[in-house]
Amino acid sequence: MNILILGSGGREHALAWAVKQNPKCDRLIVAPGNAGIAEIAECALFDINDGGAVVTFAEENAVNFVMIGPEAPLAAGVADRLQEAGILVFGPSAAAAQLEASKSFTKEVCDAAGAPTAGWAQFTDADAAKRYITDIGLPLVIKADGLAAGKGVIIPESLDDALTAIDEMFGGAFGAAGAEVVIEEFMEGEEASFFVLCDGENLLPIGTAQDHKRVGEGDTGPNTGGMGAYSPAPVLTDEVAKKAMDEIIGPTMKVMAERGMPYRGVLYAGLMIKDGQPRLVEYNARFGDPECQVLMMRLGAQALDLMLATAEGRLDTAQVNWADDHALTVVMAAKGYPGPYEKGSEIKGLDKIPEDSKHMVFHAGTTEADGHITATGGRVLNVTARGDSLREAHDEAYAMVDRIDWPEGFCRRDIGWRALG
Ligand code: AMP
Ligand code: GLY
């Protein structure tokens, strides 16, 4: 079959890498892709947030199956347009993707499902929000309701910071995403991510991961899109996973179906776990980046079969074949990230790194010209390895990092520290 993947990051490189190993895949196209993806797939350029353009491209290229990587095309209804055109798609409808696109929508669904999550209140004007904050006091979490590229969450350290954050959000710091603000109870515990496929009715867990959101070692400094990740997440034991399925994911998926917006795709549940009890922090309607890289490293070619089963509504007959393995990815970013950084520096040494089923450098923000690879983004490479233990995966990944010659880049040296002990 001919497969089209939408997106340009390390997540999409990992998806392409896994899909490509499956004999069912004939032609593989990624739009827009990047320099690493171009080594294993065709890249195409069109507006991936424009459902009409995606359908036209898919029809002209006899595409049988489309996988949607990032959230923006989901929220823009690209999956809906593909479905209307009779093209098989992995990724939820815009209505179902509200689980990521609107915090208050998700909170309300959780309440209807009785799913454990932080207490919350929603505000549409600054004065009421400030009165509420002054009333209940810290700790609390302030969130822009809509999509804010992972930046719309503030955990204030003082009442002043909290009140300033409210003014900034209603003042347009996060654009339309901040027109409504959700204020949540602060939950303590350890965070982990749980990935579950849902075909509208049936559920199939496909793995757990933990990422490192802060830019600095020891999990310090500003938040980023993620500086590294590993799978599985030790804190998400079988018992915790079962609770998350029975109390959170199962019931919320049922509410979605009952409301006429069945969820089809991968559900990424961010969980806060304390004393063996999971509570929902957030849902995302897509794979995490860089969590996807460690999941794909472990799943390999079967990822395509699982995503097809999801799109075709037959997850009840699908199963995951687990190896008892571990994967870890180290993000290499441009110096300055997540603040301002330079683009265009050259990355050398990539051709000397052997890539196989246990070692891959996924590209996140690169371009190629005349045989030279240059950095074009903040997060640039995802150096990923798989091993029999997390320690082995860690050591292999950092051995690869050390062979990359890119003075303008940096990475954290402590990815996996919590699980490595
Ligand atoms: P989100 O974008 O909702 O995932 O939030 C970003 C990060 O903020 C999460 O990964 C958590 O580390 C933190 N966070 C969000 N909501 C809460 C909460 N209610 N309690 C504690 N931490 C939270
Ligand atoms: N790594 C976090 C995310 O993809 O949202």
Side-chain angles (χ1 to χ4, degrees):
M1 61 172 21
N2 298 332
I3 298 172
L4 169 65
I5 299 176
L6 303 183
S8 64
R11 168 180 50 209
E12 288 76 22
H13 191 184
L15 288 170
W17 175 82
V19 161
K20 184 81 184 182
Q21 295 170 42
N22 190 309
K24 287 199 185 85
C25 175
D26 295 314
R27 193 171 163 209
L28 180 61
I29 312 167
V30 183
N34 62 40
I37 293 171
E39 287 173 17
I40 58 168
E42 295 169 48
C43 292
L45 204 58
F46 56 87
D47 183 359
I48 65 166
N49 295 318
D50 176 345
V54 177
V55 169
T56 302
F57 180 88
E59 284 173 344
E60 283 173 2
N61 290 276
V63 167
N64 310 101
F65 185 34
V66 180
M67 293 172 169
I68 302 180
E71 60 272 28
L74 295 170
V78 171
D80 305 71
R81 298 293 88 74
L82 285 162
Q83 204 156 16
E84 285 156 17
I87 299 166
L88 207 54
V89 56
F90 181 81
S93 65
Q98 289 180 88
L99 283 179
E100 171 161 5
S102 167
K103 310 264 186 209
S104 56
F105 176 88
T106 302
K107 285 302 209 179
E108 201 272 311
V109 170
C110 281
D111 286 355
T117 182
W120 65 292
Q122 186 189 10
F123 297 91
T124 49
D125 86 280
D127 287 342
K130 286 185 188 169
R131 274 198 302 279
Y132 178 80
I133 289 175
T134 313
D135 256 16
I136 66 163
L138 301 194
L140 48 75
V141 183
I142 302 173
K143 300 185 175 183
D145 190 58
L147 288 177
K151 297 186 185 89
V153 175
I154 292 168
I155 304 179
E157 284 177 8
S158 69
L159 194 58
D160 267 357
D161 287 355
L163 300 177
T164 307
I166 292 293
D167 280 332
E168 281 173 4
M169 278 195 192
F170 283 111
F174 299 103
E180 292 182 14
V181 167
V182 167
I183 299 177
E184 285 183 16
E185 163 200 358
F186 178 83
M187 295 187 285
E188 285 183 21
E190 187 169 344
E191 269 187 277
S193 306
F194 194 20
F195 295 86
V196 180
L197 297 178
C198 184
D199 64 6
E201 198 178 324
N202 306 291
L203 298 171
L204 184 69
I206 55 162
T208 65
Q210 260 170 309
D211 80 339
H212 293 266
K213 288 209 169 71
R214 305 294 196 94
V215 73
E217 278 162 23
D219 295 325
T220 54
N223 256 321
T224 70
M227 294 302 291
Y230 50 98
S231 171
V235 64
L236 237 164
T237 59
D238 290 350
E239 276 146 61
V240 175
K242 185 173 183 315
K243 276 194 179 179
M245 290 298 287
D246 292 348
E247 298 174 13
I248 302 173
I249 296 162
T252 46
M253 290 296 95
K254 195 157 168 281
V255 168
M256 292 296 285
E258 283 164 4
R259 292 187 177 182
M261 28 184 136
Y263 189 94
R264 293 193 192 90
V266 62
L267 189 68
Y268 158 1
L271 302 174
M272 188 69 81
I273 300 149
K274 188 164 180 256
D275 303 328
Q277 178 63 48
R279 292 167 85 191
L280 187 75
V281 178
E282 61 158 355
Y283 276 137
N284 292 302
R286 52 173 175 84
F287 281 112
D289 187 347
E291 292 90 332
C292 185
Q293 288 79 315
V294 284
L295 290 177
M296 290 305 130
M297 219 354 130
R298 296 184 63 211
L299 289 170
Q302 64 178 318
L304 174 58
D305 300 313
L306 294 169
M307 290 189 266
L308 272 173
T310 306
E312 291 174 343
R314 46 178 184 79
L315 272 181
D316 49 336
T317 60
Q319 63 178 42
V320 188
N321 295 312
W322 284 120
D324 189 13
D325 58 359
H326 298 255
L328 182 140
T329 188
V330 180
V331 171
M332 296 187 77
K335 280 181 183 162
Y337 175 81
Y341 54 82
E342 304 253 316
K343 289 184 184 177
S345 55
E346 187 176 353
I347 305 166
K348 293 185 196 151
L350 289 173
D351 48 344
K352 294 189 197 74
I353 297 179
E355 293 180 331
D356 54 36
S357 65
K358 291 186 156 184
H359 305 85
M360 264 306 292
V361 179
F362 295 118
H363 290 223
T366 60
T367 185
E368 188 262 355
D370 304 326
H372 300 282
I373 303 281
T374 53
T376 54
R379 293 190 295 170
V380 173
L381 299 172
N382 311 136
V383 186
T384 313
R386 182 159 66 94
D388 292 335
S389 65
L390 184 61
R391 171 60 63 187
E392 186 188 333
H394 168 277
D395 292 353
E396 292 287 316
Y398 278 107
M400 292 158 76
V401 166
D402 290 336
R403 296 171 76 161
I404 295 172
D405 178 9
W406 181 35
E408 294 82 3
F410 77 100
C411 68
R412 278 180 58 169
R413 300 294 311 192
D414 65 344
I415 300 305
W417 67 270
R418 205 187 285 274
L420 288 164

